[in-house]
Amino acid sequence: MSRDGRQRQRGFSLMELAVVAVVLSVLLGVLLERLTFYQEAAERARFEATLQAYKTALQIRLAELILERREGEARRLEVENPTLWLSERPTDYGGDYPARPEAGTWYFDGSARELVYVANSARRLVVEPRNGMKQLRFAVKVAYQDIFVSGRPIRGIAGIGLQPVAAYQWP
């Protein structure tokens, strides 16, 4: 008891507990925001690495055709599944584009002849949604240019690329 005859209370007041709860809620919110940011950054890095592997495989395949003097077959690269050119399929490759694609997976849409990545945790990805999902679609394009041989133009291959079908931005 205290000198004036009242018992001293021990513990936290309701106000102190409310303040602690608010502070913890704010900290948890910041932590979750950072977690989702890093999760999206990891997905974007994995997406870019896989896309670069596809581009490299495409360029190597074109180089093989040129070395074998089979440049005429380069046009076929625009309709083939780009996964065939990789030495190993990506672990997140799902095969042919299904009616219900799974988020975080690569597919080949045979009817459109496009390589498709269905984004998973892409809050900052700006792209036109398709079937309610954010999808990044790419098509193989062979570039040609006229080469002059003995004064006359011959259509030659200038390069090859994996071009986005629709513009996107993933900051």
Side-chain angles (χ1 to χ4, degrees):
M1 283 202 178
S2 65
R3 280 197 246 166
D4 62 356
R6 290 185 298 177
Q7 261 188 339
R8 273 183 77 194
Q9 278 188 328
R10 292 204 167 125
F12 298 105
S13 71
L14 192 56
M15 178 61 106
E16 291 169 328
L17 284 174
V19 168
V20 168
V22 167
V23 168
L24 287 176
S25 297
V26 169
L27 289 175
L28 185 61
V30 170
L31 175 70
L32 289 176
E33 174 60 32
R34 285 285 89 194
L35 183 64
T36 57
F37 173 81
Y38 287 121
Q39 184 179 17
E40 183 176 354
E43 179 182 5
R44 179 179 174 206
R46 189 180 75 232
F47 156 76
E48 288 176 349
T50 304
L51 182 62
Q52 189 59 48
Y54 277 114
K55 288 179 178 182
T56 302
L58 174 62
Q59 292 171 346
I60 290 171
R61 181 67 184 128
L62 179 63
E64 287 173 348
L65 291 175
I66 291 172
L67 287 173
E68 296 169 359
R69 298 186 179 268
R70 296 172 32 209
E71 296 92 344
E73 297 177 31
R75 182 68 80 195
R76 270 193 12 221
L77 296 177
E78 292 181 328
V79 296
E80 288 180 348
N81 182 347
T83 307
L84 300 174
W85 315 321
L86 299 172
S87 59
E88 291 182 27
R89 286 189 173 164
T91 57
D92 55 354
Y93 179 68
D96 291 333
Y97 188 77
R100 290 187 163 176
E102 186 178 323
T105 307
W106 286 90
Y107 296 101
F108 180 69
D109 186 348
S111 61
R113 304 289 185 215
E114 296 171 350
L115 187 61
V116 182
Y117 179 71
V118 182
N120 185 24
S121 56
R123 290 180 12 189
R124 298 180 319 141
L125 173 62
V126 179
V127 67
E128 185 70 32
R130 189 170 182 165
N131 298 335
M133 304 179 93
K134 291 183 177 181
Q135 299 181 12
L136 301 168
R137 293 177 161 264
F138 299 88
V140 175
K141 297 293 180 195
V142 179
Y144 294 94
Q145 70 181 17
D146 287 336
I147 301 169
F148 289 92
V149 177
S150 301
R152 49 182 262 249
I154 297 175
R155 191 170 182 206
I157 297 174
I160 194 163
L162 198 53
Q163 305 296 323
V165 172
Y168 72 92
Q169 185 178 8
W170 202 346

